[in-house]
Amino acid sequence: MSVIRRNIRRATIALSLGLMLAACGNGNQDSSNMIKQLPKALASIGKKPQPSGIAPEQIGKALAASPAPMGLFTLEARQAQFIMFEIERNGAHRTFGSASRQSIAFRGGMMTATRGLGGDLMSSEGAALYALVSGRRAGSARYDMRFLTPEDKTVTRSFDCSTTVAAEIPVQIGEINAQTRAVVATCKSDGFSFTDAYAVDKAGRILSARQWLGDALGYVSVQMLRY
Amino acid sequence: MPNRRFGKGIVRMTLRSSSAIFVLWASAAGSEVRDERTYNLYGVPGLIDTPTAEMAPDAELAATISNFGDIRRTSLTFQILPRLSGTFRYSAISNFTNPASVNGVYYDRSFDLRYQVLDEGRIRPAVAVGLQDFIGTGLYGGEYIVATKTLAPGLKVTGGLGWGRLGGLNPIATTGTRPAELLGQGGLPTYDRWFKGDVAPFGGISYAPNDKWKFKVEYSSDLYAEESTSGQFSNKSPWNFGVDYRFKGGSQLSLYHAYGSEIGAQLTFALNPRTTGIGGGVESAPLPVAPRSAGSARDLGWTADETRIASAKSSLKELAAKDGLEIEAVTLEGTRATVRMRNPRYGAPSQAIGRLARAMTRSLPASVETFTIVPVVNGMAMSAVTVNRSDLERLEHSAATDMYARTQISDAFGLAPGPDAGIYPKFTWALAPYVQFSVFDPDNPVRADVGLRATAKYEIAPNLILSGSVAKKLGGDLDSITRTDVSNLPRVRTDRALYSAQGDPAIEYLQIAHYGRPAKNLYSRVTLGYLESMYAGASTELLWKPTSSRLALGAELNYVVRRDFDQLFGVQDMETVDPVSGVRRTIPNVNGHVSAYYSFGNGFHGQLDVGRYLAGDYGATISLDREFANGWRVGAYATVTNASFEDFGEGSFDKGLRFTFPLATFGGTPSRVANTVNIQSLTRDGGARLDVNGRLYDQVRDYHDPDVANSWGRFWR
């Protein structure tokens, strides 16, 4: 094939691939929106995520804007910080959400599930562990965490956790001002282990927590601003 | 499920060494990355040009492009089961003198299978047996038994015995005579050759100092006799050397020094439907379940209040719309609600149902305890999924399996309320570019057309749909296909080049379709009009599928007339004239099949179609697919009819591979779009089926129990 014909063909294919970003219609736009996101997604491969922090004034503003319980969250692996406030309570669980449509579910002050963060913790069985932590007792408990695989199957990771009670820590941030004890939970399974840390006050409320929420999320910490 | 095809491979077929097991010191079989397989020039786990007994992780799909000297190979390997892998390969050998060569290039397709008989233990090596190029012309035909052992972390030793291609150099024994004639018209498994002929040893050593690099040395028993005599290959030495650079996820880049005379390079891309992507995706959070206050469920006063009822319904529709779900009707009674839902967004039906259930807890009056959700596709009620509100409240933060145990999925015949006024009739249209490929024609191995496609759909009623698609080519060379092959059957598909050349613009289809639920467990379809690029007429189908059944049975009956080559509004007569032999043959008007579909569980799905094909031949098609809960599918099919191998022509019988990959894996957010690529062995006239769209099974199975249960983990997502 002549060089000219080959180049015309290459140009036409490139043009049509470009046109794909401009596909239009009046029906469901989900897939065309997804295709339009591709250039941005491809450009950001390998780029480090931008760290985002929350300044103290923002904390003050958030507390003033809503009477609901709220917390300051930090995703350590992505150096991302955000504030979420309580949007629903169901039995022993409460759900905190943000305007960017992400949510984290709690049992008291212990995180039990996440949504919208990518590689989410789908659900967990932590009632026994919660009883130990909130009661500021040493002991051991079983702790299950459930995740979705890329194949859309659910995997359950079971851990044996043992708690120890450590030093006294004062917690003073937002509307929280209390004396707490640090409770450390070390969880092991099949040669892998992680350590969660909690600051629990006399009434059994978990006012701060640093928990491992899975391979994708890593360690996430929450500091209650208003319990 | 909307199913957009990016390319339909139209393929033409060209004509055209054990127990050297080293007993080793005991060593722990490493599970580190550096002990994992790398791919060789043939696109299979191996050293450089010989295989090893290694297997890729289950379900891995690897595409390899390799080149050394005049030899270029493109291979696709799929790990079908943890111990079984299959490979499809397309090779091009330049400067090769052969009657089938085009411009001096000889093209060859081959299929491989490898089975790992023993996996590696502390003392025991891994042992595998393989068939290389076991269907068809057999240029690369060979069989082998091979063993691989890890001696130390990163250090592996391989030894094996080969027959055929792998039994050429310094054979140590003979097991009978290896026949050289082609069976049938080619395209058949060469079972008369397997493990016959000279046996020669091969082997090698690989060393990986870390996760990224690997060094290999190999002794290859492949003589490359044909390439040396008919081509310009010179086999100076059986010793090959290579280095691999391995990327995360299994992809690799390799450089080799092969046969003492050539430098080779290779690029392998690997992905795995089970592990590629972000677990669960990155879509935004669902609404939380709104629990009811104690005692509020007793209040039934709202049932008399029309405004209250209307506001609950509209609030539900709004909340569901935010999640991408279309509510077409809501029936509210004192303690139960039935919702008719359309799901254009979520590939996993459980996620659509879960999100709708959450929205229902947030919008419906407290006394409504039983939620029945009826997903509707093309106006057919697919199933009735019933959950209790109390269970939703109680199990919101529990494992999804707990909720599945409390969910009922049953047949929805007669249960879907009719759609609200104002929704239908509905008109949708789309305009998008397309790329269509034609591959494997030796005159030009890859051809492509690019163009614009306009599609429109007018839903007169939910189950009465008028739709059409027009394609206009912008550029490309599909019309430069000049090969005309003789056919001993009516030319039902071999006139493809004429349709391609003259159909610009082309009406791809223009049809009116009616879908129905004639009775419980029954689904029906009638499609009239221009059904596909080559045929117009009427297609009718009936499917029997109970919601919890793994088995479905269907029957299809078609009456077709042949369309004009310009793919516009005309039809022509059914008599075809063969351009080579001049024989006239008539395409029958009537064809059809009875089909059985079976979901085996464990990820495999089978289908058997028996009936009469387009050319009037009678026979059966068997298909087997490996299906993943996230929508990925890899499968193969074969059709055998009463058209003899001679009448069918080259290839002897129709066969092919197909791959479906969902957009959601790459985009990370839910999508119902999945692209299917068919690699059909070749377009001959035997075993050809009408390519009508809207066939029932794929639509119906989505919302039935075996498939819904598969991805139920997404219910609470």
Side-chain angles (χ1 to χ4, degrees):
Chain A
M1 193 191 320
S2 76
V3 179
I4 299 173
R5 267 203 73 190
R6 214 182 307 141
N7 284 337
I8 292 178
R9 181 155 75 108
R10 285 200 190 125
T12 323
I13 292 181
L15 174 68
S16 77
L17 290 174
L19 281 179
M20 278 198 208
L21 300 176
C24 49
N26 74 339
N28 180 277
Q29 296 293 329
D30 280 351
S31 39
S32 103
N33 287 340
M34 202 186 291
I35 292 176
K36 288 181 184 150
Q37 299 292 336
L38 271 180
K40 203 164 45 160
L42 290 172
S44 67
I45 288 178
K47 287 225 191 93
K48 284 190 138 4
Q50 298 284 49
S52 62
I54 300 284
E57 313 87 64
Q58 286 173 279
I59 295 179
K61 265 212 293 226
L63 284 168
S66 156
M70 61 180 69
L72 174 64
F73 296 82
T74 310
L75 257 62
E76 292 177 16
R78 303 177 202 171
Q79 293 181 296
Q81 268 194 325
F82 47 89
I83 293 179
M84 283 195 191
F85 47 92
E86 183 181 305
I87 55 178
E88 191 59 74
R89 226 174 248 243
N90 185 358
H93 289 90
R94 42 192 193 146
T95 305
F96 280 46
S98 69
S100 53
R101 286 207 73 172
Q102 295 165 321
S103 71
I104 297 185
F106 282 83
R107 178 184 260 115
M110 179 189 281
M111 294 180 277
T112 56
T114 71
R115 292 291 188 279
L117 299 180
D120 290 316
L121 173 66
M122 290 300 290
S123 60
S124 52
E125 299 296 331
L129 182 62
Y130 179 78
L132 286 177
V133 171
S134 154
R136 312 207 297 186
R137 294 199 308 278
S140 51
R142 201 137 174 90
Y143 179 45
D144 290 341
M145 300 171 83
R146 284 177 286 261
F147 303 91
L148 279 176
T149 67
E151 198 193 347
D152 277 353
K153 294 288 189 195
T154 306
V155 290
T156 307
R157 295 183 73 169
S158 292
F159 297 89
D160 290 306
C161 300
S162 56
T163 54
T164 52
V165 185
E168 288 231 332
I169 315 172
V171 175
Q172 201 172 357
I173 180 173
E175 289 176 19
I176 307 287
N177 186 356
Q179 273 290 38
T180 69
R181 273 221 106 94
V183 181
V184 175
T186 312
C187 300
K188 292 196 190 11
S189 157
D190 283 342
F192 174 74
S193 74
F194 61 88
T195 306
D196 289 348
Y198 303 88
V200 190
D201 76 357
K202 265 208 306 274
R205 301 182 309 173
I206 298 173
L207 298 177
S208 3
R210 179 178 182 260
Q211 294 173 241
W212 182 81
L213 294 185
D215 289 323
L217 288 172
Y219 280 96
V220 179
S221 42
V222 54
Q223 173 59 60
M224 287 297 172
L225 302 170
R226 180 193 288 134
Y227 192 84
Chain B
M1 187 191 291
N3 211 325
R4 246 184 268 151
R5 292 228 204 107
F6 270 170
K8 186 173 175 177
I10 304 162
V11 171
R12 290 184 156 272
M13 191 178 195
T14 57
L15 277 179
R16 320 203 246 198
S17 158
S18 188
S19 245
I21 295 176
F22 301 101
V23 177
L24 314 152
W25 322 297
S27 97
S31 54
E32 310 165 35
V33 173
R34 59 179 174 158
D35 284 324
E36 284 179 8
R37 82 279 161 271
T38 47
Y39 289 83
N40 69 4
L41 287 167
Y42 275 98
V44 295
L47 288 165
I48 295 158
D49 208 35
T50 56
T52 59
E54 295 163 301
M55 293 270 117
D58 185 32
E60 179 165 286
L61 192 57
T64 303
I65 304 174
S66 68
N67 197 87
F68 67 110
D70 286 329
I71 301 166
R72 190 171 62 247
R73 298 181 188 143
T74 309
S75 321
L76 191 62
T77 298
F78 180 58
Q79 193 68 33
I80 302 165
L81 290 170
R83 287 176 183 271
L84 180 68
S85 69
T87 306
F88 169 69
R89 182 181 308 110
Y90 193 62
S91 315
I93 308 172
S94 309
N95 301 316
F96 193 84
T97 318
N98 184 290
S101 291
V102 177
N103 294 333
V105 184
Y106 181 75
Y107 296 97
D108 181 80
R109 288 173 310 151
S110 41
F111 289 90
D112 295 0
L113 277 179
R114 178 192 298 186
Y115 180 69
Q116 188 182 61
V117 177
L118 291 175
D119 56 355
E120 192 172 334
R122 268 186 62 83
I123 304 181
R124 183 183 72 198
V127 177
V129 64
L131 298 172
Q132 187 174 290
D133 192 6
F134 70 101
I135 294 185
T137 52
L139 172 71
Y140 283 119
E143 303 82 44
Y144 56 87
I145 301 175
V146 64
T148 302
K149 185 79 188 87
T150 309
L151 297 181
L155 179 66
K156 287 193 171 200
V157 130
T158 297
L161 293 171
W163 283 256
R165 264 316 269 239
L166 291 164
L169 182 65
N170 298 331
I172 57 175
T174 305
T175 54
T177 335
R178 197 177 175 90
E181 301 86 35
L182 223 49
L183 287 173
Q185 297 288 317
L188 291 171
T190 52
Y191 58 86
D192 58 340
R193 303 183 187 181
W194 295 345
F195 297 102
K196 290 220 183 87
D198 290 341
V199 189
F202 62 86
I205 299 178
S206 68
Y207 177 61
N210 56 34
D211 287 355
K212 293 202 182 334
W213 293 95
K214 189 190 254 192
F215 301 94
K216 308 190 275 201
V217 59
E218 142 193 296
Y219 172 89
S220 166
S221 54
D222 195 329
L223 265 181
Y224 276 81
E226 284 244 35
E227 288 85 344
S228 303
T229 49
S230 308
Q232 294 178 3
F233 193 83
S234 63
N235 187 345
K236 297 206 180 102
S237 156
W239 293 98
N240 300 329
F241 306 89
V243 59
D244 298 336
Y245 182 79
R246 198 202 311 250
F247 301 95
K248 268 210 207 113
S251 301
Q252 83 187 58
L253 183 59
S254 303
L255 275 178
Y256 305 115
H257 183 258
Y259 298 98
S261 60
E262 305 288 359
I263 302 284
Q266 169 191 332
L267 190 56
T268 300
F269 293 106
L271 55 73
N272 192 324
R274 300 186 70 190
T275 58
T276 299
I278 302 172
V282 295
E283 66 261 35
S284 47
L287 296 165
V289 168
R292 297 167 286 180
S293 49
S296 58
R298 283 196 289 272
D299 170 24
L300 285 164
W302 61 271
T303 49
D305 184 351
E306 285 302 323
T307 355
R308 207 49 185 87
I309 296 178
S311 87
K313 290 186 185 182
S314 72
S315 153
L316 174 60
K317 289 190 188 182
E318 265 178 50
L319 288 179
K322 288 215 185 89
D323 271 330
L325 296 168
E326 293 168 20
I327 306 300
E328 293 189 338
V330 183
T331 308
L332 274 185
E333 296 150 38
T335 56
R336 78 179 307 128
T338 308
V339 179
R340 177 191 172 110
M341 165 192 86
R342 273 183 52 155
N343 170 23
R345 175 174 292 185
Y346 299 95
S350 61
Q351 189 168 10
I353 294 164
R355 291 218 171 193
L356 179 57
R358 290 170 181 268
M360 289 167 85
T361 64
R362 298 195 76 83
S363 52
L364 299 182
S367 69
V368 179
E369 168 65 17
T370 310
F371 294 169
T372 299
I373 296 168
V374 182
V376 163
V377 174
N378 284 332
M380 295 181 284
M382 295 278 106
S383 58
V385 182
T386 305
V387 294
N388 291 323
R389 194 174 190 163
S390 317
D391 291 328
L392 291 170
E393 291 168 350
R394 191 168 53 90
L395 299 172
E396 182 189 0
H397 294 101
S398 302
T401 43
D402 293 347
M403 193 61 219
Y404 180 71
R406 306 277 310 164
T407 305
Q408 267 184 313
I409 303 176
S410 51
D411 190 86
F413 177 66
L415 288 181
D420 290 343
I423 302 181
Y424 293 94
K426 201 191 315 190
F427 178 69
T428 44
W429 62 271
L431 183 65
Y434 70 88
V435 182
Q436 181 161 334
F437 291 97
S438 163
V439 292
F440 305 146
D441 183 335
D443 290 341
N444 193 341
V446 183
R447 284 198 178 86
D449 268 359
V450 296
L452 273 181
R453 175 181 282 130
T455 47
K457 188 157 84 154
Y458 185 62
E459 293 163 89
I460 304 165
N463 62 342
L464 186 62
I465 301 166
L466 176 62
S467 60
S469 169
V470 175
K472 172 82 186 87
K473 196 163 71 174
L474 294 177
D477 52 2
L478 277 183
D479 57 358
S480 66
I481 298 173
T482 50
R483 274 190 162 227
T484 46
D485 292 297
V486 66
S487 176
N488 291 331
L489 293 168
R491 296 181 72 82
V492 291
R493 288 297 186 209
T494 40
D495 282 336
R496 179 179 296 281
L498 287 168
Y499 282 95
S500 227
Q502 297 183 32
D504 181 26
I507 300 176
E508 294 178 316
Y509 61 88
L510 181 61
Q511 63 190 39
I512 183 153
H514 175 271
Y515 296 90
R517 297 285 330 256
K520 195 155 170 313
N521 298 331
L522 280 181
Y523 304 80
S524 71
R525 169 182 68 83
V526 177
T527 316
L528 300 170
Y530 300 89
L531 303 175
E532 51 138 278
S533 54
M534 297 187 194
Y535 295 96
S539 172
T540 62
E541 187 186 354
L542 197 62
L543 179 75
W544 171 85
K545 189 179 189 314
T547 49
S548 54
S549 168
R550 298 195 166 285
L551 173 72
L553 298 171
E556 179 178 299
L557 192 62
N558 308 316
Y559 181 92
V560 301
V561 293
R562 190 162 66 127
R563 290 179 67 182
D564 274 342
F565 296 127
D566 63 8
Q567 292 189 60
L568 292 172
F569 292 99
V571 296
Q572 51 180 320
D573 61 55
M574 302 298 277
E575 193 179 64
T576 68
V577 184
D578 195 275
V580 175
S581 64
V583 177
R584 294 175 179 273
R585 294 189 178 86
T586 313
I587 304 173
N589 286 108
V590 177
N591 60 67
H593 286 80
V594 292
S595 308
Y597 311 85
Y598 194 73
S599 187
F600 289 97
N602 69 11
F604 282 91
H605 187 274
Q607 182 175 338
L608 179 67
D609 308 289
V610 179
R612 186 192 212 195
Y613 295 81
L614 276 171
D617 46 335
Y618 291 87
T621 301
I622 188 149
S623 330
L624 189 63
D625 293 83
R626 176 139 185 214
E627 302 184 332
F628 300 89
N630 54 10
W632 282 78
R633 295 181 185 176
V634 180
Y637 71 89
T639 303
V640 180
T641 69
N642 65 349
S644 66
F645 293 156
E646 291 74 39
D647 285 344
F648 183 90
E650 342 161 17
S652 305
F653 66 99
D654 187 35
K655 49 196 158 322
L657 302 171
R658 60 227 189 162
F659 306 88
T660 301
F661 37 99
L663 204 55
T665 298
F666 302 104
T669 49
S671 166
R672 283 191 74 77
V673 174
N675 291 302
T676 298
V677 175
N678 284 301
I679 301 180
Q680 187 186 2
S681 127
L682 63 188
T683 29
R684 303 295 302 164
D685 296 313
R689 271 189 87 170
L690 182 68
D691 189 15
V692 64
N693 58 31
R695 284 200 163 106
L696 294 169
Y697 183 67
D698 264 331
Q699 301 177 55
V700 170
R701 62 178 299 194
D702 242 5
Y703 292 97
H704 282 196
D705 214 325
D707 280 27
V708 169
N710 248 343
S711 53
W712 189 263
R714 293 196 87 108
F715 179 85
W716 285 120
R717 185 137 186 81

